[in-house]
């Protein structure tokens, strides 16, 4: 088939590579989000997908909006059979969805209909799921509601961050997307409507969502930290400034600390929660680089009775 691939961030690059390498289909063009400011200089930078496509000599389309008439006219000129999608980042209007013969097929990082939405990997970790996966489905106008072509499953490991899990799913899912294109092309694959039960939603996690509630159980804090790493980053407040929490350890045999209470030791820093203590392993103070929590504690000289949480005035 002639394909036009749509994707933007680094997590979409393995799927693009898999389609280029398959040899069975032609990636005629790539659609990605417009260049965006990045770094201290805020200079415009092309997306990772755009950079990979340019390296491969593939035409890159960067519409401000997919309903743009010039963009849709060019897509009609290319006349793709199918448009595979991974984390493109913009809603597709029906006028664009109707252009390719076999529609637009999305690789979504959950077992649909679970975790429809923008942050399925983060939300699955925060919810405490033990298994997740990826699905390929035909895009409709609804949010991740289209019929499913194929799935794969992936175990969520006890120490997985969303970054760890997303990387594994990106590489495993690239094979699923390539196989889906093969099945559509040879007519052996049919999309099946999603069930009406088991639906859950995965909205984008805001900075406020990522704030630690020390009165909640320790497991909740651990899942929130892992689910929000690397972005948007779980955080709390210490001495009126934000303190980002990069990794925690569970300490179930220590139950003497009240929620948010700090207990520094020579090479460890413990904090109380609504159940048992956690050990702060890596933190990032406001305006500084990530560091070991024990080094941070020695630097700030935690006084008896000081706590995490409270008003955010930083």
């Amino acid at each position: 088939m002639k394909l036009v691939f749509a994707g933007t961030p680094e997590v979409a690059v393995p799927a693009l590579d898999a389609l280029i390498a398959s040899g069975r289909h032609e990636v005629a063009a790539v659609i990605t989000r417009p260049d965006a400011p990045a770094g201290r200089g805020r200079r415009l930078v092309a997306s990772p997908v755009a950079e990979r496509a340019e390296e491969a000599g593939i035409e890159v389309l960067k519409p401000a909006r997919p309903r743009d008439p010039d963009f849709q006219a060019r897509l009609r000129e290319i006349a793709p059979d199918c448009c595979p999608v991974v984390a493109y980042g913009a809603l597709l209007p029906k006028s664009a969805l109707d252009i390719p013969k076999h529609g637009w097929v999305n690789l979504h990082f959950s077992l649909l209909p679970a975790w429809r939405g923008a942050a399925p990997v983060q939300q699955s970790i925060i919810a405490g799921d033990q298994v997740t996966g990826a699905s390929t489905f035909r895009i409709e106008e609804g949010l991740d509601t289209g019929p499913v072509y194929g799935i794969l499953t992936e175990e969520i490991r006890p120490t997985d961050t969303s970054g760890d899990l997303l990387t594994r799913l990106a590489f495993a899912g690239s094979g699923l997307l390539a196989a889906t294109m093969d099945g559509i092309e040879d007519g052996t694959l049919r999309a099946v409507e999603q069930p009406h039960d088991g639906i859950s939603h995965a909205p984008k996690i805001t900075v406020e969502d990522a704030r630690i509630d020390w009165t909640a159980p320790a497991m909740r804090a651990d899942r929130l930290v892992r689910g929000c790493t690397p972005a948007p980053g779980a955080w709390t407040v210490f001495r009126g400034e934000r303190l980002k929490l990069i990794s925690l350890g569970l300490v179930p045999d220590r139950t003497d600390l009240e929620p948010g209470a700090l207990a520094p030791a020579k090479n460890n820093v413990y904090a109380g929660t609504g159940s048992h203590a956690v050990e702060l392993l890596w933190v990032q103070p406001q305006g500084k680089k990530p560091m070991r929590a024990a080094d941070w504690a020695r630097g700030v000289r935690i006084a008896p009775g000081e706590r995490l949480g409270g008003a955010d005035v930083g």
Side-chain angles (χ1 to χ4, degrees):
M1 293 192 295
K2 181 188 284 189
L3 306 177
V4 171
F5 179 86
T8 299
E10 189 68 39
V11 72
V13 173
L16 175 58
D17 284 339
L19 294 171
I20 293 171
S22 74
R24 183 165 173 173
H25 311 290
E26 173 199 357
V27 182
V30 157
I31 306 164
T32 191
R33 299 291 291 152
D35 297 357
R40 289 187 176 182
R42 308 303 290 166
R43 65 184 183 88
L44 291 178
V45 175
S47 74
V49 164
E51 291 181 351
R52 179 66 187 94
E54 288 164 0
E55 289 172 5
I58 297 171
E59 179 182 358
V60 179
L61 308 175
K62 302 178 181 180
R65 294 175 301 171
R67 63 176 65 253
D68 179 72
D70 292 338
F71 160 69
Q72 292 193 16
R74 178 59 188 141
L75 194 59
R76 289 190 186 92
E77 287 176 0
I78 297 171
D81 295 301
C82 189
C83 292
V85 184
V86 184
Y88 169 46
L91 293 176
L92 298 161
K94 189 174 187 304
S95 55
L97 293 175
D98 290 342
I99 292 174
K101 175 182 176 182
H102 294 289
W104 299 63
V105 176
N106 191 38
L107 173 64
H108 183 76
F109 298 117
S110 80
L111 298 173
L112 290 171
W115 303 124
R116 294 172 175 172
V121 173
Q122 293 95 324
Q123 297 286 10
S124 65
I125 290 176
I126 292 169
D129 292 353
Q130 295 181 317
V131 176
T132 186
S135 309
T136 50
F137 72 96
R138 189 169 65 239
I139 296 178
E140 300 175 337
E141 289 187 276
L143 180 62
D144 301 334
T145 57
V148 173
Y149 285 103
I151 64 168
L152 61 83
T153 59
E154 180 71 31
E155 179 186 0
I156 300 179
R157 300 168 187 170
T159 59
D160 270 341
T161 66
S162 60
D164 298 332
L165 183 55
L166 191 55
T167 297
R168 294 205 307 276
L169 288 171
F171 282 95
S174 66
L176 175 63
L177 185 61
T180 299
M181 293 298 105
D182 295 348
I184 292 172
E185 187 268 335
D186 64 22
T188 60
L189 201 54
R190 294 286 183 270
V192 176
E193 295 297 327
Q194 295 183 30
H196 295 295
D197 56 348
I199 296 171
S200 55
H201 297 280
K204 182 178 179 180
I205 297 172
T206 67
V207 171
E208 193 55 39
D209 293 335
R211 183 171 187 165
I212 298 289
D213 174 7
W214 294 106
T215 66
M219 188 65 73
R220 171 70 182 172
D222 173 65
R223 291 171 181 169
L224 188 63
V225 169
R226 291 189 294 112
C228 293
T229 299
W235 60 280
T236 188
V237 174
F238 179 73
R239 294 180 183 168
E241 292 189 340
R242 293 193 182 193
L243 178 69
K244 185 179 287 188
L245 304 175
I246 298 172
S247 62
L248 302 177
L250 298 174
V251 190
D253 59 348
R254 181 158 189 182
T255 58
D256 60 313
L257 294 175
E258 294 184 0
L262 285 165
K266 184 176 180 181
N267 294 306
N268 310 86
V269 186
Y270 302 101
T273 73
S275 56
H276 57 74
V278 295
E279 181 182 356
L280 309 187
L281 299 175
W282 281 83
V283 300
Q284 184 175 3
Q286 192 166 309
K288 296 184 179 179
K289 294 182 178 180
M291 63 180 68
R292 292 187 182 277
D295 295 335
W296 164 77
R298 278 191 289 270
V300 298
R301 298 183 179 180
I302 298 168
E306 284 197 290
R307 295 173 176 267
L308 298 173
D312 176 17
V313 297

